[in-house]
Amino acid sequence: MAENYDVIIIGSGPGGYVAAVRASQLGLKTAIVEREHLGGICLNWGCIPTKALLRSAEVLDHANHAKDYGLVLEGKMTADVTAVVARSRGVSARLNGGVGFLMKKNKVDVIWGEAKITKPGEIVVGKSSKPVVEPQNPVPKNVKGEGTYTAKHIIIATGARPRALPGIEPDGKLIWTYFEAMKPAALPKSLIVMGSGAIGIEFASFYRSMGVDVTVVEVMPTIMPVEDVEVTAIARKQLEKRGLKILTSAKITKVEKAADSLTAHVETADGKVQQITADRMISAVGVQGNIENLGLEAVGVKTDRGCVVIDGYGKTNIAGIYAIGDVAGPPMLAHKAEHEGVVCVEKIAGLPNVHATDKGKVPGCTYCHPQVASVGLTEAKAKEAGRDIRVGRFSFAANGKAIALGEDQGLCKVIFDKKTGELLGAHMVGAEVTELIQGFVVAMNLETTEEELMHTIFPHPTVSETMKEAVLDAYGRVLNA
Ligand SMILES: Cc1cc2nc3c(=O)[nH]c(=O)nc-3n(C[C@H](O)[C@H](O)[C@H](O)COP(=O)(O)OP(=O)(O)OC[C@H]3O[C@@H](n4cnc5c(N)ncnc54)[C@H](O)[C@@H]3O)c2cc1C
């Protein structure tokens, strides 16, 4: 007889494993199915290993600017890319093992293999189509195997994979996805990055720090197109100062491959076509949900543009089947996946006062140098939505801590509703902003107004003071500018 659970989760990324922990805390008998790596893309090939690579880049950048801080470093510091990659893979392996530990601690059964929903309440786990290739991410011990399993509630948390443009498909050799970009055997001399979203820009920033000649090609008029234009203009200037070449309103229409290089045909807004030759190219044109081979069509689960359609609690159109995380649509971010997982499971458990996920309050962070972080509406989106707004800005050039850090190029920008004082959006570029944005996220979540922010005491000297000054600026009360 099939083993029966209260909840079975398909996929152990941040959405899946966090949902499993919460389900177990709520007393639900829980199992998680994984076909490749505990921790999903985030821990193994996404958020975490990129941050480890970017940390190496940051240390290298600091070392090579030691003179600016009155320090003497004989010669130039260079990167041993094999060691840089090994450190990044080691960081991932540690967290991958950590997820295994969490499953055991919370008495969540791990089922190894590829899951398919056969009918509401039933899955069949078959042999994985993605055998483990990473020695750092072994199949954990004491897992359950192939077979039929039943559960009252099935949560799809199967994540996403790289999107490919027709004719410019990644081949793993000359055209990389994030998988190959994450662990290069050697550094290319030159690199084209197609797409300037968070993934593209983070890799562009990393490879530039490693000394690679990098050209970013973005089809939209600005880099990081979802961010506020003022913020991305500053980021672009700083990235270009570091030697990155950036083409916007530019489209790669064709790629010609040679033995160990490629030539991209780039069409710009004026209709001209230029050819750029480089050793390698990273295709970073977005991701698409893993909705295939899950039995969704047969069971009748509704999908739209490659993602499962859900309500604010993760419910699909079929009773007992839910979806969370990347497979349930944008924003495709780990913390959104985790939050959706918790909300979904708490609703299943019948907890009172469970709030639907509010996608308008999901922060976004890009860990390039300089960092970019935001939450809520951009100025353009606020105007588009017909909001009457007040905008405040504060430059890092007037912030004591930023100057002391030697990082005085940055901006904090806030957007308020003119009538109510509601904080509609906050946008930052500069040092440590990915850590700071959470202050605004908490404020938005508590429905804080400008008055409460102005009454809040920020520690001195910190870069966070730019946040208060930006708020004051919106109301004509800025103190240090
Ligand atoms: C290079 C890169 C950098 C990123 N950086 C950040 C960042 O800094 N911050 C951030 O918030 N987000 C970042 N992301 C995005 C983040 O990784 C995803 O949003 C997050 O991993 C989504 O979590 P998830 O649980 O929905 O799915 P995933 O993490 O994709 O996990 C899904 C899991 O399901 C498994 N699976 C799929 N199908 C089946 C099946 N049929 N049976 C069994 N198992 C299955 C997969 O093997 C996988 O382990 C980054 C992504 C990339 C690629």
Side-chain angles (χ1 to χ4, degrees), residues 284-458:
V285 291
V287 294
Q288 62 187 87
N290 291 325
I291 56 167
E292 299 80 5
N293 306 320
L294 280 167
L296 300 187
E297 267 177 40
V299 179
V301 174
K302 213 166 148 188
T303 60
D304 180 32
R305 279 163 288 175
C307 293
V308 178
V309 178
I310 58 165
D311 69 5
Y313 303 95
K315 273 188 187 170
T316 69
N317 60 314
I318 302 292
I321 301 181
Y322 312 78
I324 57 170
D326 282 7
V327 74
M332 293 191 179
L333 294 166
H335 40 280
K336 176 257 191 185
E338 289 179 20
H339 189 78
E340 282 184 340
V342 170
V343 166
C344 178
V345 163
E346 290 186 348
K347 195 77 178 166
I348 286 173
L351 254 57
N353 305 321
V354 181
H355 298 289
T357 301
D358 181 353
K359 290 191 181 177
K361 294 195 179 100
V362 179
C365 294
T366 307
Y367 301 76
C368 50
H369 183 202
Q371 297 181 354
V372 171
S374 64
V375 60
L377 298 176
T378 60
E379 184 176 350
K381 287 273 177 215
K383 284 180 178 160
E384 231 176 87
R387 306 294 289 250
D388 198 6
I389 55 171
R390 267 179 185 273
V391 179
R393 298 173 182 82
F394 195 79
S395 164
F396 282 29
N399 174 265
K401 180 70 182 292
I403 296 169
L405 289 175
E407 305 251 13
D408 66 347
Q409 296 301 304
L411 179 77
C412 179
K413 174 174 176 180
V414 287
I415 295 145
F416 288 97
D417 184 285
K418 210 173 200 170
K419 224 182 279 153
T420 63
E422 181 191 353
L423 179 62
L424 299 176
H427 307 273
M428 303 180 81
V429 52
E432 301 308 331
V433 298
T434 55
E435 295 291 340
L436 297 175
I437 196 70
Q438 192 56 16
F440 284 130
V441 181
V442 172
M444 279 178 84
N445 229 29
L446 297 175
E447 296 177 358
T448 306
T449 62
E450 87 289 359
E451 231 175 276
E452 287 149 331
L453 282 165
M454 286 191 224
H455 282 131
T456 305
I457 300 170
F458 285 68

